[in-house]
Amino acid sequence: MTGPEIVFSLLGVVAVGSAILVVTTRQLVHAALWLVVSFGALAGCYLVLTAEFVAWVQVLIYVGAVVVLLLFGIMLTRAPIGESAELDSGNRWAAPAVAVATAAVLVTVMVMGFHDAYTPLRAGGGSAEALGASVFRTWVLPFEVLSVLLLAALIGAIVLSRSDIGPGAPEEEPPSQDAPQVQDGPRSEAEPGPGPDREGGR
């Protein structure tokens, strides 16, 4: 194995290991931090594949924006920050089985589709110019669909973070009948005004 292949394999192990810790930890903040490690390892993989632009986008958008948005969502929704037993849904054994089956299918498809084919790493193959031409010419429709999906997710996060809307919103209590009522109109002449008694003042 060459040097780039060894570095790529090590970064892949770090990414997979941190991703497993994301779904196995019982603390939400720790899960978000392990997600940062996984995204950072993926950015390193992109750098090894000479896709510098994709690597920096991975760091700026996913690590710098998505994880921060996740942490703000945890704080705004008042989710439990410490260890919580409610995060265990009872599907502890079904989830690894589904994950292993999905990984086996993906690896089988990749091996059957590419076999021993290798693509030479060219400098500049992952530049902003090449990726921009590919995204806005060949993949423009999936790009726009993804942008709409992210916008819907952002709106949903804002709705979930607000407590004054929805079925669980607090209702305003009607004013009490025992509360004194203040009259804002002019005082009538028949009503005695404040001051000494009229008979006592004579």
Side-chain angles (χ1 to χ4, degrees):
M1 296 179 65
T2 61
E5 291 178 349
I6 295 175
V7 174
F8 184 84
S9 301
L10 293 177
L11 290 173
V13 171
V14 172
V16 173
S18 56
I20 293 175
L21 290 174
V22 169
V23 298
T24 54
T25 184
R26 292 189 177 183
Q27 296 188 2
L28 291 179
V29 177
H30 289 182
L33 296 178
W34 283 118
L35 190 61
V36 171
V37 176
S38 180
F39 285 156
L42 286 177
C45 292
Y46 291 139
L47 282 177
V48 175
L49 295 176
T50 67
E52 296 86 1
F53 179 75
V54 180
W56 291 119
V57 168
Q58 176 80 16
V59 173
L60 293 176
I61 295 181
Y62 285 92
V63 177
V66 174
V67 175
V68 173
L69 182 63
L70 178 62
L71 291 175
F72 271 100
I74 293 174
M75 292 185 292
L76 290 175
T77 54
R78 296 179 178 85
I81 298 178
E83 185 174 356
S84 177
E86 297 178 356
L87 298 178
D88 192 357
S89 62
N91 300 323
R92 181 179 296 273
W93 302 108
V98 174
V100 170
T102 304
V105 171
L106 292 176
V107 171
T108 303
V109 170
M110 294 291 293
V111 171
M112 293 178 61
F114 296 96
H115 295 286
D116 295 332
Y118 288 92
T119 301
L121 299 179
R122 298 181 295 104
S127 63
E129 181 180 0
L131 289 176
S134 177
V135 167
F136 292 103
R137 290 178 183 174
T138 307
W139 305 100
V140 60
L141 182 60
F143 179 78
E144 296 296 334
V145 171
L146 182 60
S147 63
V148 173
L149 179 62
L150 292 176
L151 178 62
L154 180 60
I155 294 174
I158 294 174
V159 172
L160 289 177
S161 64
R162 296 188 57 180
S163 59
D164 57 340
I165 58 177
E171 298 181 356
E172 296 183 357
E173 297 182 357
S176 177
Q177 299 294 333
D178 299 334
Q181 297 181 358
V182 179
Q183 297 180 357
D184 297 332
R187 187 180 299 274
S188 175
E189 296 181 357
E191 296 180 358
D197 188 19
R198 295 181 180 179
E199 294 181 357
R202 292 179 181 178

